Amino acid sequence: MDAPPDSPRDATAPLPEPTPPPSSEPGASAHPPPKEAEATLLRSFSDRAWGVLLAPFQTFRHHDPAWGWGQAWGLVAVAGILVGVLGLVRVDHDKVGAWVWERTKANMSATQLKQMENPDVEEATAKMRRVQAFGTKLSSVLGPPLLGLMGLVFGAGFLYLVAQVLGKEPPDPVLCLSVAAFLSLANLIDLCGSSVGVLLSNGLPRPDLSALTDPFTQPLLAAALGRLSPGLIAYYVLLTAALEGSLGLTRKRALAVAGGTFLVVSLLLIALGGLGKLQMEAGS
């Protein structure tokens, strides 16, 4: 016969296992907090790269100096080299150079054309064109890694100064270099556009709106529209996200820095285009 409910438990019956108290150590829970769960999704470089390109504001909040800079720089450099090699195979650069020279001469004044008839000037010009042709071919392969590395150093210095002046905490130089490297992933967008142009045997592929203008007759408009490429616009969106998420600036300050930088650089390039046009008109 069963014992009544209020009777003492049999001494031989096993006692229940005590329930351990909940642990407060990170990772103890089977379901980590949302921020920790998001960070675990960025362990591989491919996850970080896609995150930067597709969800920059969310991804840069988890940016860590341990992400490094070499992989991002290497990816952009290799992509640039591939596009450059593709251009050497698909494009007749000598023919393109001759076409550019004819267009340049067409915009010269009568005085300048007269000077070009001088044998010494003609020989020096031919030599200069050969050097430029060789430099163009060489830079198509060596330019992406070398210029990309220079861009990282300059970009990291710029980010360090901005964070030093406007940030909440002293910036980490290693973090700034890593941020600059992941910002350069935006170049992949324009490289994709350039690769399409190269595949179509376009000797001067321009993945921006300047492709709709003639840079020889409309240098100012070409310079302005050249600032409207998908990759460049994406770069400044990523810059805003990085300034806020990685370097601790407020959203308003991040927008002001990114927008101001875009405007200043654009005005500088347009001014250089206008200066070239004035020199050409002065020569006529």
Side-chain angles (χ1 to χ4, degrees):
M1 182 174 182
D2 294 335
D6 55 348
S7 64
R9 180 179 294 272
D10 186 0
T12 62
L15 296 176
E17 293 290 335
T19 302
S23 173
S24 60
E25 296 180 1
S29 173
H31 302 285
K35 289 187 178 181
E36 294 182 8
E38 292 174 3
T40 59
L41 297 177
L42 302 173
R43 289 178 179 175
S44 68
F45 170 72
S46 61
D47 292 335
R48 297 164 185 170
W50 283 114
V52 165
L53 292 174
L54 300 179
F57 287 90
Q58 179 181 357
T59 303
F60 276 117
R61 293 193 195 103
H62 302 288
H63 195 184
D64 189 274
W67 288 14
W69 60 272
Q71 290 178 308
W73 165 78
L75 176 60
V76 177
V78 169
I81 292 173
L82 291 177
V83 174
V85 172
L86 186 63
L88 293 177
V89 174
R90 295 283 301 176
V91 177
D92 187 348
H93 287 278
D94 294 332
K95 185 177 181 180
V96 173
W99 176 82
V100 171
W101 176 240
E102 291 300 323
R103 291 301 311 275
T104 303
K105 288 175 63 177
N107 289 276
M108 287 183 179
S109 63
T111 303
Q112 291 173 325
L113 291 174
K114 187 68 176 178
Q115 293 175 347
M116 296 298 300
E117 296 177 358
N118 186 307
D120 294 335
V121 176
E122 186 176 3
E123 181 180 355
T125 301
K127 184 177 180 180
M128 179 189 66
R129 288 180 56 199
R130 288 194 296 269
V131 172
Q132 287 179 341
F134 176 77
T136 299
K137 295 176 182 179
L138 189 65
S139 63
S140 64
V141 178
L142 297 182
L146 296 181
L147 294 179
L149 192 59
M150 292 173 59
L152 289 190
V153 174
F154 178 82
F158 171 76
L159 292 170
Y160 183 88
L161 291 176
V162 170
Q164 183 73 34
V165 176
L166 301 176
K168 299 177 182 179
E169 299 178 357
D172 180 2
V174 178
L175 177 63
C176 292
L177 185 61
S178 180
V179 170
F182 279 88
L183 288 178
S184 69
L185 294 176
N187 295 326
L188 295 174
I189 301 175
D190 282 349
L191 284 173
C192 290
S194 297
S195 65
V196 173
V198 169
L199 287 173
L200 297 175
S201 299
N202 186 342
L204 299 172
R206 290 176 287 169
D208 52 62
L209 294 184
S210 67
L212 304 176
T213 64
D214 186 350
F216 296 95
T217 59
Q218 299 174 304
L220 290 178
L221 182 59
L225 295 180
R227 300 290 293 166
L228 299 177
S229 73
L232 189 62
I233 294 174
Y235 177 87
Y236 282 96
V237 173
L238 299 187
L239 177 60
T240 304
L243 289 173
E244 179 187 5
S246 299
L247 300 180
L249 272 67
T250 63
R251 176 67 62 86
K252 289 183 178 180
R253 288 185 174 182
L255 286 170
V257 171
T261 304
F262 176 83
L263 181 61
V264 170
V265 176
S266 299
L267 291 176
L268 178 60
L269 294 176
I270 294 173
L272 291 175
L275 181 61
K277 184 177 180 179
L278 290 175
Q279 290 178 343
M280 185 174 293
E281 291 176 351
S284 60

